[in-house]
Amino acid sequence: MADDTFTVRRIYRAPRELVFACMTEPEHLTHFWGPTGTSTPLEGIVVELRPGGAFETTMVNDTDGSEYRMRAEYTDVEAPRFLAWREVDSGVLTSVTFVDLGDGTTEVVTHQRGLPPEYRTSEARAGWQTALERGVIYVEDLARQPKEPS
C-alpha cells in the first residue's frame, strides 16, 4: 500500500563522506536527530555501524522532558553510499542513499516503508521534515568551517 511509505530527497552542500559521517556518528547525530522541539543527548545514542548492529536514539521533548526511544537494527551498511535499518518496535524499514553529485554536493534520499498509521499523519511527516532540515543546516555549517592544516 502506497500510504505506508514516505520518501524525501534533499541536496546537501557538503561532500558525501561528511554527510554519511553525520548520519552515523553519535557526536554528530546529537546535534540534529529528531524533530524541532526535541534534543537527543549523546548518551542516548548507540551506533554499531554494521549489518545486525544496533542503532538507538532517545529523543527528549524540550518542553516537558518526555522521552521517545527508537531502537533499530542496521540491515545494510555500505559506507558512504547506503544505510538501512529496521525499527525493532514498529518494523519500519528506513533506507538512506547518499549520491555524490560531483560538485561537492550530495543528494540524500530517505525512504521509509511499512509505516504504521500513527507515522502516516501530517504531523508525523512534518516532524520528519523538520528533523531532516535540522540535519541539512548542521551538515552544511560543518562543511563551511575552515579545514585544519595537516
Side-chain angles (χ1 to χ4, degrees):
M1 144 193 300
D3 278 348
D4 75 345
T5 65
F6 181 57
T7 302
V8 178
R9 295 181 188 307
R10 286 272 198 277
I11 304 293
Y12 291 71
R13 290 183 300 270
R16 178 168 67 171
E17 290 74 13
L18 176 61
V19 180
F20 187 88
C22 287
M23 282 294 297
T24 58
E25 296 175 8
E27 58 270 16
H28 292 301
L29 288 166
T30 190
H31 292 282
F32 66 85
W33 189 263
T36 300
T38 66
S39 55
T40 304
L42 185 60
E43 62 273 7
I45 302 172
V46 174
V47 173
E48 297 171 350
L49 194 58
R50 59 177 171 69
F55 177 34
E56 300 176 4
T57 61
T58 301
M59 294 176 279
V60 180
N61 182 301
D62 295 337
T63 303
D64 65 15
S66 60
E67 295 183 350
Y68 172 76
R69 186 168 180 217
M70 188 276 303
R71 296 180 317 122
E73 180 178 297
Y74 286 108
T75 59
D76 199 349
V77 176
E78 298 173 32
R81 192 191 70 74
F82 185 76
L83 281 177
W85 63 84
R86 182 174 306 279
E87 292 184 29
V88 173
D89 297 325
S90 67
V92 171
L93 179 63
T94 300
S95 62
V96 185
T97 304
F98 304 83
V99 180
D100 182 345
L101 298 178
D103 60 358
T105 64
T106 304
E107 180 183 39
V108 177
V109 180
T110 304
H111 180 75
Q112 292 186 303
R113 67 175 185 250
L115 293 169
E118 63 271 19
Y119 287 27
R120 298 180 204 169
T121 66
S122 58
E123 294 84 6
R125 291 182 184 210
W128 242 108
Q129 294 281 3
T130 66
L132 293 169
E133 189 58 34
R134 289 174 68 186
V136 168
I137 292 166
Y138 175 78
V139 172
E140 291 183 356
D141 283 349
L142 277 182
R144 283 192 294 272
Q145 293 178 6
K147 305 291 183 262
E148 299 271 331
S150 339

